Amino acid sequence: MELTGTVTRVQIAPPHPWLDVEAPDGTWRVELGNPSQTQRAGFTAESASEGDTITAIGNRSKDESEKRMKAVQIEVGGETYDIYPERIQSP
């Protein structure tokens, strides 16, 4: 799935860094890779801030009542971060 919205919170801590993103249908939790994986992708605590627009591509929670996804790629501030490059599928 693809999600675009505004960052409301950034947390870079184990077990998985995450972002809260306000989208038209509510607030989503966007989980990133483990801290090492996220850092290898170049994403740090300074990569996104409250108020930034973000686009995340990834997998939605199997429980569709949850607004939660695991990102494989995110774009913020003109930068693209491939959290799980091996999972990115070309259109």
Side-chain angles (χ1 to χ4, degrees), residues 8-31:
T8 59
R9 188 168 176 204
V10 178
Q11 177 66 42
I12 304 294
H16 294 284
W18 50 263
L19 308 163
D20 280 344
V21 176
E22 186 65 32
D25 62 343
T27 301
W28 284 75
R29 172 68 46 98
V30 177
E31 296 176 353

Side-chain angles (χ1 to χ4, degrees), residues 7-82:
V7 175
T8 59
R9 188 168 176 204
V10 178
Q11 177 66 42
I12 304 294
H16 294 284
W18 50 263
L19 308 163
D20 280 344
V21 176
E22 186 65 32
D25 62 343
T27 301
W28 284 75
R29 172 68 46 98
V30 177
E31 296 176 353
L32 306 177
N34 66 53
S36 297
Q37 183 81 21
T38 300
Q39 185 178 28
R40 277 193 301 274
F43 191 89
T44 67
E46 291 78 36
S47 298
S49 301
E50 186 177 325
D52 287 345
T53 298
I54 186 172
T55 298
I57 298 171
N59 302 303
R60 182 185 182 136
S61 171
K62 289 182 182 181
D63 180 350
E64 291 195 13
S65 70
E66 294 182 322
K67 288 185 171 68
R68 187 170 58 89
M69 72 177 292
K70 180 74 166 187
V72 297
Q73 183 182 68
I74 57 173
E75 186 277 321
V76 61
E79 294 289 328
T80 300
Y81 302 94
D82 295 332

